[in-house]
């Protein structure tokens, strides 16, 4: 059965890998772009970077809602990659605000819906399919980080044009394989039935237009946390399996604080490495983004292993996630201690990213598997959207607290977060038998 549907699996994996190549390459250099071109401080640049990620994941829930009740997942994915391609093209000419709007709109449409296409096509093979999917995701992330680190030696413009070409290729892959991907009819009554929500969203966008970029980033950070809470209870009232959905809340809490650590690889950790890690190969300074690329290389290997394990075993997802939280938290505490030194041995950074890469893959794969199991067919995409809202809330929290990096040491900043997540991992571990879904 799975082999017969490979015409859907592989094109979706290719599209996601190309989109991740572009986005992760962009995100890995975005904080430096803001500091070098627009003269933001490290705290300000990190807050803007975090709030962009928060906005993408937060408003991604609206993309999921639009898919379930209007356009369908297939159309949302196509429209999404077109907007994203336009965003990178505009950014190559330094039109920052317009570019971010296009990237945000496109990412909102694609975020939940591309995984929803897999979940709907392979309802009985979710762990194995998402393991394969994550291999492609991490290949794209790895290559994106590697290429961006090289391209910015020449110019940021070249890096952003490369991102545009990558997503343009994703558009071509989609067009050539569209006939193999199931479509859903457009529900035109959506606009009539949701006119208040549409007007509210437009009013919110107009409201944001009166603020500068830093103020907008603060507003988005707060909204992203509130949206997770709102949509969880919104879907909770509609589902029949309320007992399982209550357990799901623990997974969401774990994901929020786990991704709060992981996403700092694109800003605060990236800046730390650039300032304190000096490693040369044939007189060439290894870019900071390459260390983050190593994390995605680890994830590729881990995904490959998990694709074989998860296919044949009944695994307790809560236990895996508890262990992953513990490993990630320990890595952050370790990095906090290293930050006291004037220079850091690159081997220690690679070790920390090794641990983060393994844990990231485990949480990603088994988290999506939990989503697939706990959600009914009717609310499959919306429940997937709630999972991605965890990343929004995580970056929203980061966007709120990261400004303090301009005033306190890395040791304090990283260690406090590490010990908090360590405590949370112990709670999940104690409850893992009860939380199994």
């Amino acid at each position: 059965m799975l082999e017969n549907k490979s015409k859907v699996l592989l094109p979706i994996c290719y599209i996601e890998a190309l989109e991740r190549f572009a986005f992760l390459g962009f995100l890995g250099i975005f904080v430096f772009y803001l500091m070098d071109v627009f003269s933001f401080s490290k705290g300000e640049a990190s807050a803007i970077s975090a709030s962009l990620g928060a906005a993408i994941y937060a408003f991604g829930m609206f993309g999921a809602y639009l898919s379930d009740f209007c356009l369908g997942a297939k159309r949302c994915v196509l429209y999404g990659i077109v907007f994203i391609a336009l965003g990178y093209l505009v950014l190559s000419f330094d039109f920052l605000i317009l570019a971010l709007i296009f990237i945000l709109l496109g990412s909102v449409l694609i975020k939940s819906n591309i995984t929803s296409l897999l979940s709907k096509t392979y309802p009985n093979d979710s762990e194995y399919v998402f393991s394969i999917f994550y291999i492609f995701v991490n290949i794209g992330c790895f290559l994106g980080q590697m290429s961006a680190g090289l391209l910015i030696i020449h110019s940021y413009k070249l890096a952003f044009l490369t991102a545009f070409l990558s997503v343009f290729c994703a558009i071509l892959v989609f067009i050539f394989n569209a006939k193999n991907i199931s479509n859903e009819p457009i529900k035109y009554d959506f606009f009539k039935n949701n006119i208040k929500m549409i007007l509210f969203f437009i009013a919110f966008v107009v409201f944001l237009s009166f603020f500068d970029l830093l103020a907008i980033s603060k507003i988005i950070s707060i909204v992203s946390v509130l949206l997770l809470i709102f949509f969880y209870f919104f879907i909770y009232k509609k589902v029949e399996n309320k007992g399982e959905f209550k357990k799901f809340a623990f997974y969401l809490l774990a994901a929020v604080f786990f991704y709060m650590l992981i996403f700092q690889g694109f800003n605060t950790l990236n800046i730390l490495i650039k300032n304190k890690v000096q490693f040369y190969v044939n007189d060439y300074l290894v870019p900071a983004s390459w260390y983050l690329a190593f994390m995605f290389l680890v994830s590729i290997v881990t995904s490959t292993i998990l694709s074989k394990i998860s296919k044949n075993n009944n695994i307790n997802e809560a236990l895996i996630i508890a262990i992953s939280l513990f490993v990630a938290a320990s890595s952050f505490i370790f990095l906090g201690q290293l930050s006291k030194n004037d220079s850091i041995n690159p081997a220690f950074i690679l070790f920390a990213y090794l641990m983060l890469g393994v844990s990231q893959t485990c949480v990603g794969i088994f988290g999506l598997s939990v989503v697939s199991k706990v959600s009914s067919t009717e609310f499959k995409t919306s429940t997937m959207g709630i999972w991605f809202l965890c990343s929004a809330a995580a970056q929203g929290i980061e966007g709120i607290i990261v400004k303090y990096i301009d005033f306190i040491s890395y040791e304090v900043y990283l260690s406090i977060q590490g010990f908090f997540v360590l405590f949370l991992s112990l709670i999940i571990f104690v409850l893992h038998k009860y939380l199994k879904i």
Side-chain angles (χ1 to χ4, degrees), residues 236-276:
Y236 175 79
K237 291 179 181 180
K238 295 179 176 293
V239 299
E240 296 182 359
N241 56 332
K242 296 190 185 302
E244 297 289 270
F245 223 75
K246 288 179 181 178
K247 296 179 184 179
F248 185 46
F250 284 88
Y251 289 91
L252 298 177
L253 183 65
V256 166
F257 290 103
F258 174 81
Y259 286 117
M260 183 185 71
L261 303 185
I262 290 295
F263 281 112
Q264 291 185 61
F266 299 103
N267 40 67
T268 52
L269 295 184
N270 228 3
I271 296 171
L272 174 67
I273 293 171
K274 185 178 180 180
N275 292 338
K276 295 200 173 188

Side-chain angles (χ1 to χ4, degrees), residues 73-145:
K74 180 179 178 179
R75 291 185 188 88
C76 284
V77 170
L78 176 59
Y79 301 158
I81 52 181
V82 170
F83 275 123
I84 291 171
L86 289 174
Y88 294 131
L89 182 61
V90 170
L91 190 60
S92 66
F93 297 98
D94 293 333
F95 295 117
L96 179 61
I97 301 298
L98 182 59
L100 294 182
I101 290 172
F102 278 134
I103 294 171
L104 176 59
L105 284 174
S107 299
V108 162
L109 290 172
I110 195 176
K111 180 54 63 179
S112 299
N113 290 305
I114 196 160
T115 48
S116 177
L117 285 176
L118 285 179
S119 183
K120 290 177 178 179
T121 307
Y122 306 99
N124 300 318
D125 301 286
S126 60
E127 290 174 350
Y128 174 72
V129 166
F130 283 123
S131 296
I132 301 299
F133 179 73
Y134 255 79
I135 293 173
F136 282 85
V137 167
N138 287 301
I139 289 173
C141 294
F142 169 73
L143 294 177
Q145 289 289 309

Side-chain angles (χ1 to χ4, degrees), residues 103-209:
I103 294 171
L104 176 59
L105 284 174
S107 299
V108 162
L109 290 172
I110 195 176
K111 180 54 63 179
S112 299
N113 290 305
I114 196 160
T115 48
S116 177
L117 285 176
L118 285 179
S119 183
K120 290 177 178 179
T121 307
Y122 306 99
N124 300 318
D125 301 286
S126 60
E127 290 174 350
Y128 174 72
V129 166
F130 283 123
S131 296
I132 301 299
F133 179 73
Y134 255 79
I135 293 173
F136 282 85
V137 167
N138 287 301
I139 289 173
C141 294
F142 169 73
L143 294 177
Q145 289 289 309
M146 293 292 288
S147 66
L150 289 173
L151 292 170
I152 60 171
I153 296 174
H154 302 284
S155 71
Y156 286 108
K157 181 174 184 176
L158 181 59
F160 297 144
L161 283 175
T162 302
F164 161 73
L165 291 174
S166 177
V167 182
F168 182 75
C169 290
I171 295 172
L172 296 179
V173 171
F174 186 97
I175 292 172
F176 290 144
N177 293 277
K179 63 181 180 180
N180 298 319
I181 302 173
S182 61
N183 206 355
E184 297 162 314
I186 297 178
K187 302 171 185 176
Y188 292 100
D189 60 347
F190 169 85
F191 299 99
K192 179 181 178 181
N193 297 335
N194 294 273
I195 186 66
K196 291 183 180 179
M197 185 182 73
I198 294 171
L199 291 175
F200 175 80
F201 182 77
I202 294 173
F204 179 69
V205 172
V206 173
F207 170 75
L208 289 180
S209 68

